[in-house]
């Protein structure tokens, strides 16, 4: 059961209690004062089948390609295979970053998020692993601290500290580590995808649980599932504006920048905002899926609010595009300060609208 439900259940129960006191009886379907909150099962089904499952399938396929590209680099280290491995890393970031608008369910309960995407890299301990005597197998990597595996350890080894690593700079131990790291990342991506479609370790597929909102204890109402979607959107807006951007910018510390070795930070942030749009509109254009999104339901209740949310998402992506590249240099450049602050402001404006207006409409 998600924390979101614990967070909002008391509010909903309290609202129902007040309604009962005022009217003298519990709310019914026939009562004009009964809740008019979220009630669209198709939105929940399409969020599952047209957004979450296709995004995780895309991630699993891309992670497998990255593992293959690293194997090719290891077998034949050339500028071409090195460039292909770096391109595969960037390609795998897209579905992952576009999934960060819904970091609930198995990605949280199985610890997959930290295993895939912990940063900053612990370069001191990573160098110690490379200089140590242990065989660098997938089993060994799976037992390492998250700061020594996942996307950003792979990024550090592929791109180098200054993003200018040459293929001649790889050691045999780095190749061994890369193969194990990308193998573990691909296995985790497969587990994440399967957890929604087939279930893991005998568990019920999470897609069935989410589609079954209103008929199970995990999501006792359609509204509780809609709240989960909105909470995911709010969470990534907060993380981008007040974590991914604010932490390195406020501290003037490039070491706190996500994806600093590949110079992919701004692409990551933009894909995070696309994940908000995908969750709201029930589709993933990059995966060629389309469904009925929460935005359609919102439009039927408050067209101005739906338009405002979509406009702020577009403004957020546009504002990120105004920041000079790479982000790790922009945070130290006084000339880039206004663009960084402007991007934070519009993403935070979106977050507040989601927190205040969209949640209120879903809970109405």
């Amino acid at each position: 059961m998600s924390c979101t439900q614990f967070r909002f259940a008391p509010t909903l129960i309290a609202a129902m209690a007040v309604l009962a006191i005022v009217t003298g009886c519990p709310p019914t379907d026939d009562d004009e004062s009964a809740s008019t909150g979220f009630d669209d099962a198709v939105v929940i089904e399409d969020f599952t089948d047209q957004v979450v499952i296709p995004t995780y399938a895309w991630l699993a396929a891309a992670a497998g390609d990255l593992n293959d590209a690293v194997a090719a680099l290891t077998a034949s280290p050339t500028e071409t295979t090195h460039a292909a491995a770096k391109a595969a890393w960037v390609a795998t970031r897209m579905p992952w970053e576009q999934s960060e608008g819904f970091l609930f369910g198995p990605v949280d309960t199985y610890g997959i998020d930290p295993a895939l995407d912990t940063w900053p890299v612990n370069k001191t301990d990573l160098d110690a692993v490379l200089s140590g005597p242990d065989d660098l197998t997938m089993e060994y990597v799976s037992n390492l601290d998250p700061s020594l595996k996942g996307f950003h350890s792979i990024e550090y080894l592929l791109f180098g500290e200054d993003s200018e690593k040459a293929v001649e700079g790889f050691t045999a131990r780095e190749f061994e580590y890369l193969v194990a790291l990308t193998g573990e990342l691909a296995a985790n991506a497969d587990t994440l995808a399967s957890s929604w479609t087939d279930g893991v370790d005998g568990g019920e597929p999470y897609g069935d649980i989410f589609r079954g909102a209103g008929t199970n204890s995990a999501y006792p109402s359609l509204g509780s599932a809609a709240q989960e979607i909105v909470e995911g959107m709010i969470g990534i807006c907060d993380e981008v504006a007040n974590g991914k951007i604010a932490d390195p910018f406020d501290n003037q510390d490039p070491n706190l920048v996500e994806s600093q070795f590949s110079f992919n930070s701004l692409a990551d942030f933009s894909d995070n905002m696309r994940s908000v749009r995908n969750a709201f509109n029930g589709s993933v254009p990059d995966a060629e899926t389309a469904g009925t999104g929460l935005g359609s339901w919102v439009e039927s209740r408050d067209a101005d609010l739906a338009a405002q949310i979509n406009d702020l998402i577009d403004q957020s992506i546009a504002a990120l595009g105004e920041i000079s590249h790479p982000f790790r240099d922009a945070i130290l450049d006084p000339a880039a300060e206004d663009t960084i602050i402007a991007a934070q402001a519009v993403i935070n404006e979106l977050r507040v609208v989601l927190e205040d207006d969209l949640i209120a409409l879903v809970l109405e």
Side-chain angles (χ1 to χ4, degrees):
M1 182 177 289
S2 73
C3 294
T4 301
Q5 291 167 284
F6 285 119
R7 190 175 308 154
F8 284 96
T11 305
L12 186 57
I13 291 169
M16 293 176 69
V18 169
L19 182 62
I21 291 170
V22 170
T23 62
C25 59
T28 69
D29 291 342
D30 297 329
D31 193 328
E32 291 183 356
S33 63
S35 171
T36 57
F38 182 81
D39 59 357
D40 193 333
V42 174
V43 168
I44 302 304
E45 291 170 3
D46 281 1
F47 176 79
T48 303
D49 295 323
Q50 304 300 326
V51 178
V52 178
I53 289 175
T55 303
Y56 285 151
W58 176 19
L59 173 66
D65 290 344
L66 172 60
N67 189 215
D68 291 344
V70 164
L73 169 65
T74 300
S76 178
T78 66
E79 289 186 5
T80 300
T81 55
H82 185 200
K86 290 191 291 185
W89 184 91
V90 171
T92 311
R93 289 298 287 175
M94 288 182 64
W96 171 250
E97 295 301 305
Q98 290 194 26
S99 79
E100 288 196 312
F102 41 89
L103 289 176
F104 62 85
V107 70
D108 177 38
T109 54
Y110 290 119
I112 293 173
D113 180 15
L116 290 183
D117 199 31
T118 292
W119 92 92
V121 171
N122 186 335
K123 289 182 279 190
T124 300
D125 286 356
L126 190 150
D127 288 340
V129 169
L130 288 170
S131 62
D134 298 303
D135 290 337
L136 300 177
T137 63
M138 275 182 56
E139 182 180 5
Y140 176 82
V141 165
S142 69
N143 291 314
L144 289 175
D145 182 85
S147 65
L148 298 173
K149 59 184 180 179
F151 273 112
H152 299 298
S153 293
I154 297 167
E155 178 195 15
Y156 175 64
L157 293 172
L158 280 178
F159 290 84
E161 194 149 10
D162 56 2
S163 201
E164 294 183 355
K165 186 171 185 174
V167 70
E168 295 81 8
F170 285 94
T171 67
R173 289 281 286 178
E174 287 178 338
F175 283 139
E176 185 181 357
Y177 199 6
L178 271 172
V179 169
L181 287 171
T182 55
E184 202 229 11
L185 186 140
N188 279 327
D190 281 340
T191 297
L192 183 54
S194 296
S195 67
W196 277 76
T197 55
D198 304 317
V200 174
D201 296 332
E204 184 178 3
Y206 205 79
D208 291 352
I209 295 171
F210 204 70
R211 285 189 214 92
T215 64
N216 58 47
S217 59
Y219 295 99
S221 66
L222 289 169
S224 64
Q227 290 166 27
E228 187 85 281
I229 296 171
V230 179
E231 281 292 303
M233 297 164 62
I234 292 169
I236 195 58
C237 288
D238 183 51
E239 184 177 346
V240 172
N242 305 315
K244 295 184 178 191
I245 292 176
D247 287 347
F249 181 52
D250 293 349
N251 291 288
Q252 292 289 283
D253 186 355
N255 290 317
L256 299 179
V257 172
E258 185 180 32
S259 298
Q260 59 180 285
F261 309 119
S262 60
F263 295 174
N264 204 57
S265 313
L266 291 169
D268 281 1
F269 306 162
S270 294
D271 277 325
N272 285 157
M273 302 316 299
R274 291 185 182 95
S275 78
V276 175
R277 182 162 60 196
N278 295 346
F280 188 61
N281 292 325
S283 63
V284 182
D286 288 318
E288 299 181 346
T289 68
T292 300
L294 180 59
S296 295
W297 179 84
V298 174
E299 188 171 13
S300 71
R301 303 296 196 277
D302 186 340
D304 289 344
L305 177 60
Q308 182 184 20
I309 291 171
N310 275 314
D311 183 53
L312 286 171
I313 294 170
D314 290 343
Q315 287 187 43
S316 298
I317 294 171
L320 289 166
E322 293 298 318
I323 300 173
S324 58
H325 177 81
F327 184 65
R328 76 177 192 182
D329 293 345
I331 63 169
L332 303 176
D333 181 3
E337 183 175 314
D338 287 348
T339 58
I340 294 172
I341 292 172
Q344 284 182 289
V346 70
I347 295 169
N348 271 323
E349 183 180 353
L350 171 61
R351 175 183 57 79
V352 170
V353 169
L354 299 176
E355 287 176 341
D356 292 350
D357 299 332
L358 184 53
I359 284 290
L361 186 66
V362 167
L363 288 175
E364 191 171 60

